[in-house]
Amino acid sequence: MSVGYDGIENPGRNDPCWCGSGKKYKKCHQAFDEKLEALWADGEELIDRDLLKTPEDIRGIVASAEVNVGALDYVDEHIKAGVSTEEIDQWVYNYCVEHDAIPADLNFEGYPKSVCTSINEVVCHGIPSPDEILKEGDIINVDMSTIKNGYFSDSSRMYCIGEVDPEWKRLVEVTKQAVEAGLEAIRPWGHLGDVGAAVNKVATDAGFSVVAEYGGHGIGNEFHEDPFVSFVAEAGTGPILVPGMCFTIEPMVNMGDAAIDMSDPNKWTVRTKDRKPTAQWEVQLVVTEDGYQLLSW
Ligand code: MF3
Ligand code: CO
């Protein structure tokens, strides 16, 4: 018996593969594992193989993401000035339970609501409230996560409420373009830092700054798995993008300084230190043999 770079025992050549295909290891992932061992021997970073998603895992995540995307599509159609963030919370909670799913945020480390609603200078983890009413000119991120049959999905979108200051609108659009550039940078057997660097370049070339303290994350069988996905990263660094890796791209882009303020007494809500506006979009994908498959958006 041999043990892999991750401490996980390799199956015998004629034993069933670890991926659940039912095929013999030698006819399935043995060559793939040997490639990983060679990369590891070269000093490359790799996530553990038990975090790589099997086709069955991906089917489960897709079913979860269908609910997550559906909930956000519902928000697309109903969000407008005069709506409270509490109402948004109720929409997504109801959508989830009506589709046999659970909002992943609810009770996550004590979080009290089903979704995060982050308005204007709120960087992330804005908590829905009946006292918070959307008004013309606001920009808001609605960040939604779903558990269905034990599988996790996670994505977020920005909404401009009515007529928005053109520079704020540019912030929202550039942040979306940054996420798209991150997706385009995904190459199987490339580096995770290629993604972070591509995101960062779009944001900073436009004159904006990128929050360093938060990033994307692996996801699938848990809400937050390895790797941490930094958007202040350099190309050619970080873990190898191995087919089966599932993670989010979710940069927080500030109009002013990158510094954040985490002093809210509710222990959750994060703001820009300079109180200038900030934007975030989030997508979830899995790396494939020839690129990536978008799972949630
Ligand atoms: N959805 C967030 C993410 O993108 C996590 C929110 S955790 C909560 O990772 F508890 F604040 F909801
Ligand atoms: Co996320």
Side-chain angles (χ1 to χ4, degrees):
M1 280 292 168
S2 63
V3 173
Y5 68 89
D6 47 14
I8 300 170
E9 214 168 82
N10 296 314
R13 287 174 52 74
N14 293 310
D15 290 340
C17 190
W18 53 257
C19 76
S21 64
K23 287 194 253 177
K24 287 184 179 179
Y25 183 49
K26 67 182 179 193
K27 293 241 160 142
C28 196
H29 272 87
Q30 188 175 7
F32 176 95
D33 282 1
E34 283 165 4
K35 184 168 182 166
L36 293 181
E37 290 301 332
L39 287 163
W40 184 258
D42 275 349
E44 297 287 359
E45 271 180 66
L46 293 169
I47 64 164
D48 291 357
R49 285 172 294 170
D50 55 2
L51 294 173
L52 300 176
K53 306 310 175 208
T54 65
E56 186 189 347
D57 290 333
I58 293 166
R59 281 192 293 275
I61 297 168
V62 164
S64 173
E66 270 167 14
V67 179
N68 210 60
V69 168
L72 285 172
D73 287 348
Y74 186 94
V75 175
D76 284 4
E77 279 167 29
H78 294 86
I79 196 165
K80 59 176 198 281
V83 161
S84 73
T85 49
E86 176 81 9
E87 285 172 81
I88 299 171
D89 192 72
Q90 286 164 358
W91 296 342
V92 303
Y93 176 84
N94 289 335
Y95 190 94
C96 258
V97 297
E98 283 162 16
H99 292 81
D100 302 315
I102 306 166
D105 287 358
L106 191 58
N107 301 319
F108 172 74
E109 292 181 2
Y111 188 77
K113 294 285 180 178
S114 296
V115 68
C116 295
T117 48
S118 303
I119 303 176
N120 300 338
E121 75 281 5
V122 175
V123 173
C124 63
H125 304 161
I127 301 176
S129 158
D131 303 329
E132 191 174 53
I133 314 289
L134 291 177
K135 57 182 194 310
E136 176 112 0
D138 282 341
I139 59 171
I140 177 175
N141 172 275
V142 178
D143 190 342
M144 178 68 195
S145 311
T146 297
I147 315 172
K148 183 160 179 157
N149 290 329
Y151 289 104
F152 287 77
S153 54
D154 184 9
S155 54
S156 79
R157 302 181 192 171
M158 291 297 298
Y159 299 95
C160 291
I161 307 301
E163 204 62 41
V164 167
D165 179 293
E167 186 63 0
W168 291 35
K169 210 168 171 180
R170 191 172 75 90
L171 174 70
V172 169
E173 282 163 5
V174 164
T175 305
K176 187 171 193 186
Q177 287 159 12
V179 170
E180 287 160 358
L183 286 171
E184 281 164 29
I186 295 172
R187 300 276 179 281
W189 311 106
H191 289 86
L192 188 59
D194 305 347
V195 177
V199 168
N200 193 283
K201 182 170 170 24
V202 171
T204 54
D205 281 359
F208 301 134
S209 65
V210 180
V211 171
E213 290 87 341
Y214 289 94
H217 50 93
I219 176 169
N221 305 72
E222 304 286 343
F223 199 169
H224 298 108
E225 301 174 348
D226 278 347
F228 174 71
V229 184
S230 174
F231 304 109
V232 285
E234 275 176 50
T237 67
I240 296 289
L241 294 169
V242 178
M245 258 172 91
C246 182
F247 62 91
T248 69
I249 300 178
E250 51 174 314
M252 300 168 193
V253 178
N254 295 353
M255 187 175 289
D257 199 80
I260 59 172
D261 171 4
M262 300 178 70
S263 67
D264 193 297
N266 74 18
K267 302 255 188 17
W268 283 103
T269 305
V270 179
R271 293 180 177 79
T272 54
K273 199 157 214 164
D274 59 16
R275 297 297 190 263
K276 290 187 180 165
T278 178
Q280 180 184 28
W281 294 80
E282 176 176 17
V283 297
Q284 175 182 352
L285 67 286
V286 61
V287 179
T288 61
E289 296 288 346
D290 52 11
Y292 67 90
Q293 179 185 349
L294 197 58
L295 298 172
S296 192
W297 58 87

